[in-house]
Amino acid sequence: MRTTSRYRAAARMIAVIGVVSLAAACAGNGGDGGTTGGGDTAGYPDQNITFVVPFSAGGPTDTVTRMIAEPMAAKLGAKIVVQNVEGAGGTVGAGEVARAEPDGYTVLMHHIGMSTAPALYQNLGYQPLESFETVGLVTEVPMTVVARKDFAPATLQDLVTHVKANADKVTLANAGIGAASHLCGLLFQTAAGVKLQEVPYEGTGPALTDLVGGQVDFMCDQTTNTSGQISAGEVKAYAVTTPERVKSLPDLPTTAEAGLPGLEVSVWHGLYVPKGTPQDVVQKLSEALKTALADQKVVDQMAKLGTAPVPAESATPEAHRTKLQEQLGTWAKVIADAGIKAS
């Protein structure tokens, strides 16, 4: 997959490689917390930990994962291997983790797609609440409504008026069924009261490349994927889909400010382990996550991509599970109303 120049810069910044390894001593990582699963977990971790990213290298979820992997490895005193397992909107990689040994050595980083998959896929093979233990939320990435730079509408309200009058001609790009850009596009159509011609791609990179090249008219995508193009003037930006403006894009209004309050969505990310993983292991991972999210290097890296770590109280298994439950209900209705299913 082609990646944008912004991603290549981010990749260099965080040294995107297949393995994030840290030769940290394992001393001091004992502890005598209780377990809810079998086996002695007092020495956890005593081997490499694999972080599974169910999307391609260089994409938003992969970038966020590699940002937190190094400080988490330092806290845990172990090596973290980042493995990309692509396919079917993230469900292939998630399915592999669901079936993995529940010992804390296989961890999944997933985004909002964890809450949409049950409504999209008829034969999913796992259930988010029943197949996983939540570890903690990581970040909530704002989304932006952007268009090819020569697209006629000047404001978000102009865009709504234009697409309503030209619904059979306007093209709305996305990164495939179930992708964050697809979900945001569905919400845009619902909020605007229009049905548009959607153009799915195999990933955000190709979709944004064609948008910059003028092959499609507009799309909704994460700030981690669009900030560079917006700042460089390669695309026309209309709004950010969060209640507050994004610090890295201070001149970009929110959708509510721009006249479309029904379009509000962010792409949240969280860590998961297979159901049955001992609770003391889950807590060690959660504490390592909190440490990583407080790391100034991580804070600075995320800020450059238009996002920020969640507060410490959100990087917990309990807060994460509550978020997941809420989002499952929200997206089940949106997807049912849209009448879409993934094959």
Side-chain angles (χ1 to χ4, degrees):
M1 178 188 297
R2 289 182 58 188
T3 58
T4 64
S5 58
R6 187 67 171 178
Y7 268 136
R8 288 194 292 269
R12 287 193 296 271
M13 176 180 66
I14 61 175
V16 174
I17 54 175
V19 176
V20 177
S21 62
L22 200 74
C26 291
N29 282 286
D32 41 19
T35 67
T36 58
D40 181 8
T41 61
Y44 174 86
D46 59 7
Q47 60 185 353
N48 292 356
I49 301 171
T50 297
F51 274 23
V52 173
V53 177
F55 306 102
S56 60
T61 304
D62 180 74
T63 298
V64 170
T65 304
R66 295 176 192 274
M67 283 181 181
I68 67 169
E70 186 174 342
M72 283 191 69
K75 174 66 174 178
L76 291 165
K79 296 179 180 180
I80 291 180
V81 178
V82 179
Q83 181 181 2
N84 298 92
V85 182
E86 307 169 46
T91 62
V92 173
E96 286 196 8
V97 176
R99 295 185 294 271
E101 188 72 22
D103 54 12
Y105 291 101
T106 306
V107 180
L108 173 70
M109 169 74 93
H110 209 334
H111 65 24
I112 192 172
M114 180 65 94
S115 62
T116 63
L120 284 169
Y121 294 87
Q122 292 180 317
N123 300 304
L124 191 57
Y126 63 86
Q127 290 300 318
L129 292 172
E130 290 76 20
S131 303
F132 298 94
E133 306 281 359
T134 51
V135 174
L137 295 169
V138 178
T139 184
E140 292 206 31
V141 182
M143 302 196 77
T144 52
V145 181
V146 293
R148 53 184 171 87
K149 61 182 180 181
D150 59 348
F151 201 36
T155 67
L156 187 63
Q157 287 185 325
D158 290 342
L159 176 64
V160 172
T161 300
H162 181 82
V163 299
K164 283 185 174 180
N166 300 275
D168 59 336
K169 300 175 184 177
V170 173
T171 51
L172 172 61
N174 63 54
I177 291 178
S181 55
H182 176 231
L183 300 170
C184 185
L186 289 177
L187 287 182
F188 173 87
Q189 293 175 80
T190 299
V194 65
K195 178 63 177 176
L196 300 174
Q197 178 184 348
E198 297 183 65
V199 182
Y201 287 80
E202 292 185 1
T204 53
L208 191 59
T209 295
D210 272 9
L211 185 73
V212 171
Q215 281 74 49
V216 288
D217 293 324
F218 81 110
M219 70 182 294
C220 184
D221 203 5
Q222 299 175 62
T223 56
T224 46
N225 203 37
T226 61
S227 292
Q229 284 69 29
I230 292 171
S231 299
E234 296 177 345
V235 296
K236 179 180 288 187
Y238 294 109
V240 61
T241 65
T242 45
E244 298 179 355
R245 295 195 181 196
V246 174
K247 291 182 180 179
S248 60
L249 299 167
D251 297 329
L252 194 61
T254 67
T255 48
E257 291 173 333
L260 197 64
L263 178 58
E264 187 175 303
V265 61
S266 60
V267 183
W268 54 276
H269 295 74
L271 293 179
Y272 303 81
V273 288
K275 195 72 171 182
T277 299
Q279 285 304 302
D280 61 329
V281 170
V282 174
Q283 288 300 324
K284 285 183 180 180
L285 287 167
S286 182
E287 290 303 316
L289 173 61
K290 291 177 187 175
T291 297
L293 296 181
D295 187 282
Q296 192 59 48
K297 183 179 179 181
V298 172
V299 173
D300 293 344
Q301 288 171 346
M302 287 191 179
K304 290 179 180 179
L305 296 176
T307 188
V310 299
E313 58 267 25
S314 295
T316 65
E318 298 78 19
H320 184 181
R321 186 174 180 84
T322 297
K323 178 77 169 183
L324 178 59
Q325 287 175 317
E326 293 173 348
Q327 290 281 287
L328 283 164
T330 296
W331 287 107
K333 184 179 187 308
V334 171
I335 291 168
D337 289 347
I340 57 172
K341 286 290 182 182
S343 56

